[in-house]
Amino acid sequence: MIDIHCHILPCLDDGAQTLEDATAMARQAVRHGIATVVATPHYMDGIHWNEGPIVHRSVKQLKDILAAEEIPLQVLPGQEIRVFGSLMEELQEGKAIPITQSPYLLLELPSEQIPDKLDDLIYELQLRGMTAVIAHPERNRAFLRQPDRLLELVERGALCQLTARSILGSAGKGIETFSWQLCERNLIHFIASDAHDCGRRGFRLLEAYDAIRKRLGNEYCEYYITNAEHLVEGRVIDSLEPIRPARRFFSSLLFGRK
Ligand code: FE
């Protein structure tokens, strides 16, 4: 299994605070069947400024330690990038970086609103052959009020990553219900842990996949697992067509569910 969003790099953000925290998180990830994680420390969220070279250095350091401790976890570089005005320049300069060598960029939105410039940003990224992956849209209250706004962004080419603990109910009933609705409408392309520690915000990816398998069927589970593999390999994501509420019926046709 591949986890495309976690905060395992030590001392860079609100995730692992020490090297010991990071190795404990790595051990937990392995125990939960994860073979590869993308380390996505916050960038430009107003508090954390982990530019590309810092991330690459930290990934190298952690990989050396995991190798020395014989923890079989592959760690790839990435960032969780807060949407901001000069992102294209920051990308050009290598301060903002995509997930590993792929054309996919993990973007974080403010929790209360959808930035006006997001549509333009998605388009500008596309002109450069890149794709925006919106991190945990289920936690954004503006999407909760207007889910069709997320549909528009997906139709414009954005992809979406849902967080495991959201669908498991740990972020509240409202977010849990919304998470399922987004999955059922094919507005989610990836599931990730967004792990910050080994406790409350640990790796719960396997648990989330089990819940998805039970409720939506194995096809959805395989879809998310395959998409994560394709993402880190820089391949095209073969996404399911988003479903508008009135056309929900087609969901069952698509996967033959009742
Ligand atoms: Fe995160």
Side-chain angles (χ1 to χ4, degrees):
M1 261 184 335
I2 298 174
D3 188 4
I4 66 159
H5 179 175
C6 73
H7 299 262
I8 194 172
L9 296 180
C11 318
L12 293 190
D13 62 8
D14 54 344
Q17 294 303 300
T18 63
L19 211 42
E20 289 70 33
D21 289 347
T23 51
M25 284 178 71
R27 286 184 207 281
Q28 186 186 70
V30 171
R31 270 201 311 278
H32 288 221
I34 296 168
T36 301
V37 295
V38 182
T40 51
H42 291 288
Y43 180 58
M44 294 292 257
D45 65 349
I47 306 169
H48 308 101
W49 309 81
N50 297 301
E51 295 179 354
I54 295 172
V55 178
H56 286 294
R57 206 178 313 134
S58 182
V59 166
K60 161 102 182 57
Q61 193 184 30
L62 183 59
K63 282 169 91 162
D64 289 346
I65 288 158
L66 297 184
E69 299 210 9
E70 297 182 354
I71 302 173
L73 182 72
Q74 192 189 7
V75 183
L76 301 173
Q79 282 170 332
E80 181 176 10
I81 304 166
R82 182 62 78 104
V83 170
F84 61 98
S86 59
L87 178 56
M88 301 314 288
E89 289 81 58
E90 305 271 331
L91 260 176
Q92 196 83 38
E93 293 168 14
K95 293 178 181 170
I97 57 169
I99 287 177
T100 182
Q101 307 290 324
S102 81
Y104 299 102
L105 219 58
L106 186 66
L107 299 182
E108 183 190 28
L109 310 184
S111 56
E112 298 288 342
Q113 44 150 320
I114 305 156
D116 294 338
K117 54 182 177 279
L118 188 57
D119 296 79
D120 292 343
L121 178 63
I122 290 169
Y123 180 65
E124 279 180 62
L125 286 170
Q126 279 172 339
L127 291 180
R128 294 196 191 189
M130 305 193 81
T131 300
V133 177
I134 299 173
H136 39 64
E138 76 280 5
R139 285 169 43 190
N140 181 296
R141 276 181 267 272
F143 288 137
L144 187 62
R145 286 192 299 272
Q146 311 164 259
D148 283 346
R149 189 68 186 92
L150 188 62
L151 174 78
E152 274 172 34
L153 295 171
V154 169
E155 286 179 338
R156 284 171 189 266
L159 300 174
C160 299
Q161 169 261 308
L162 185 115
T163 293
R165 66 191 298 274
S166 298
I167 208 157
L168 291 170
S170 299
K173 193 67 195 164
I175 289 179
E176 180 190 353
T177 304
F178 189 41
S179 297
W180 288 111
Q181 288 167 352
L182 293 180
C183 287
E184 285 166 356
R185 290 184 62 183
N186 296 340
L187 294 176
I188 297 300
H189 306 87
F190 313 97
I191 311 292
S193 74
D194 194 7
H196 282 65
D197 53 42
C198 289
R200 203 175 61 84
R201 299 183 77 181
F203 292 93
R204 300 182 66 190
L205 201 49
L206 194 57
E207 225 182 307
Y209 282 139
D210 282 345
I212 289 165
R213 190 174 288 113
K214 276 192 198 115
R215 179 147 164 183
L216 301 179
N218 194 45
E219 297 88 345
Y220 269 95
C221 210
E222 291 301 321
Y223 171 65
Y224 298 132
I225 290 171
T226 306
N227 283 353
E229 289 169 2
H230 286 183
L231 183 148
V232 299
E233 289 166 5
R235 292 164 64 183
V236 172
I237 306 296
D238 210 2
S239 55
L240 294 170
E241 195 187 334
I243 295 168
R244 290 178 184 274
R247 296 172 56 217
R248 211 162 169 159
F249 166 68
F250 287 102
S251 167
S252 52
L253 281 186
L254 189 65
F255 285 148
R257 291 182 299 114
K258 293 200 173 114

